[in-house]
Amino acid sequence: MSKLKDGLSVVVIAKNEENILNRTLRHITGIADEIVFIDTGSHDNTVEIAGKFRCRTFEFQWCDDFSKAKNFGVEQARYKWILNIDCDEVLYDKNAKLLIEKACRINNKPAYIIWQDNLYDNGGVGQVKVMRLFRNDPGIRFRNHVHESICESVYRNWPGYKPEVVDIHLRHYGHLSFNATGKHERNIGILRKWIESDPDNIYANYKLAMTLFETGRIEESLPQFEKTFDVISEVKDKNTYPFIGDFMNFYYRILVDSGFAEKACGLRGIVEAWV
């Protein structure tokens, strides 16, 4: 790799996103020194739209693995810092450029957390912290076939690191029904394939249980929750998995709603013994 330049590369992967891409790219152009655009097989006007915004566009053969696609994008980046944005997200803060530039001037930070504002059909907004701004370093790469994240590589290579929050917001439209059509089924297929190759992967089992639950497939989700609980029970260092608390709350709820209140109460004692 040639010497990296001071500045920010925004990495975006896409497939057939012509309906939403203009909005996403328009809000990036003011903050990015380059947009690295990875197309994974579009047959609409996605690539043409990327060209209109002068993206550096590359083709990637889709292989049911979001991390591989995003890591390919990271490897094309020419600047010292990277911001990961999806096509169904919009960076709308007016001060984003200044805040990002300030954060990137600090040399001893590998990554930062920013806010993702999830929009829902009922008008609600759920804010979550996501690690999306990070140094262009070979020790930082995405993991997981779907719901990909750099967190594992950051915490492995910078043990004990506590990332600061840069107060910028991504408005996320992915949970709205008009935009989620087909995506849940796609993710369920990827998760099932992932679990076939790695049956005891905690994160894959957890996300499959949650996705089945969120799509209303309650009866199908219950045995997947049970399997996930069994896998979690075998892990010694449960603090390594910050989502376990959320998982247990959902599992408790689905047991109660399904008429297994006694079993749900028994979970409380087990979880207390874990802490």
Side-chain angles (χ1 to χ4, degrees):
M1 178 185 291
S2 59
K3 185 177 180 180
L4 297 172
K5 297 181 283 188
D6 290 332
L8 179 72
S9 300
V10 176
V11 174
V12 181
I13 69 170
K15 181 178 181 180
N16 296 332
E17 300 286 7
E18 64 178 4
N19 292 330
I20 59 176
L21 191 56
N22 275 289
R23 177 184 59 194
T24 301
L25 295 180
R26 184 171 63 250
H27 285 263
I28 297 173
T29 53
I31 65 155
D33 293 289
E34 68 171 357
I35 301 173
V36 178
F37 191 86
I38 308 302
D39 184 73
T40 62
S42 296
H43 48 75
D44 62 2
N45 292 319
T46 292
V47 173
E48 289 76 7
I49 295 170
K52 183 177 69 174
F53 287 92
R54 299 182 179 179
C55 298
R56 295 180 61 228
T57 301
F58 301 86
E59 293 183 3
F60 180 84
Q61 183 66 43
W62 181 243
C63 56
D64 284 341
D65 192 324
F66 282 90
S67 286
K68 286 184 178 180
K70 288 197 173 180
N71 287 335
F72 174 76
V74 169
E75 289 158 8
Q76 314 313 313
R78 300 180 296 188
Y79 290 86
K80 292 182 179 179
W81 283 86
I82 293 172
L83 179 65
N84 167 41
I85 292 181
D86 291 332
C87 289
D88 57 5
E89 297 172 330
V90 173
L91 183 67
Y92 60 90
D93 292 80
K94 293 182 179 179
N95 295 324
K97 184 175 179 62
L98 291 175
L99 291 171
I100 291 172
E101 288 178 346
K102 181 180 178 181
C104 295
R105 284 196 293 267
I106 301 176
N107 293 323
N108 64 341
K109 306 289 186 182
Y112 292 95
I113 285 170
I114 64 175
W115 293 100
Q116 184 185 63
D117 297 348
N118 295 307
L119 308 184
Y120 297 98
D121 289 335
N122 63 5
V125 179
Q127 290 188 338
V128 295
K129 295 177 180 178
V130 290
M131 196 182 297
R132 296 289 196 87
L133 178 62
F134 56 97
R135 190 176 297 280
N136 190 349
D137 185 289
I140 302 178
R141 289 295 184 268
F142 288 92
R143 297 289 301 272
N144 304 329
H145 295 234
V146 66
H147 302 293
E148 63 285 353
S149 171
I150 62 165
C151 294
E152 185 175 338
S153 63
V154 169
Y155 293 135
R156 182 180 64 245
N157 293 310
W158 285 267
Y161 178 64
K162 296 181 179 180
E164 298 176 8
V165 177
V166 178
D167 193 23
I168 58 176
H169 293 251
L170 290 173
R171 184 177 287 139
H172 180 218
Y173 296 84
H175 292 291
L176 297 174
S177 56
F178 80 88
N179 196 40
T181 303
K183 292 185 178 181
H184 287 309
E185 292 304 317
R186 175 203 64 194
N187 290 348
I188 288 171
I190 294 173
L191 288 164
R192 291 194 190 281
K193 185 177 178 180
W194 183 6
I195 290 170
E196 284 179 6
S197 63
D198 189 3
D200 294 330
N201 187 290
I202 293 177
Y203 190 73
N205 279 283
Y206 158 68
K207 291 306 295 187
L208 178 57
M210 292 298 297
T211 306
L212 291 169
F213 178 79
E214 290 167 358
T215 53
R217 296 158 68 166
I218 308 301
E219 291 186 5
E220 194 175 352
S221 71
L222 183 55
Q224 184 59 43
F225 271 97
E226 292 174 345
K227 182 191 174 185
T228 305
F229 178 78
D230 290 340
V231 173
I232 291 173
S233 299
E234 298 299 319
V235 176
K236 293 182 179 180
D237 187 8
K238 295 179 176 58
N239 292 327
T240 306
Y241 303 93
F243 56 81
I244 286 180
D246 288 338
F247 165 78
M248 293 307 304
N249 287 334
F250 276 102
Y251 187 27
Y252 180 87
R253 171 183 166 188
I254 194 174
L255 284 173
V256 172
D257 291 346
S258 301
F260 300 103
E262 185 175 346
K263 184 174 181 179
C265 291
L267 287 181
R268 294 296 191 191
I270 295 174
V271 174
E272 288 174 2
W274 287 353
V275 179

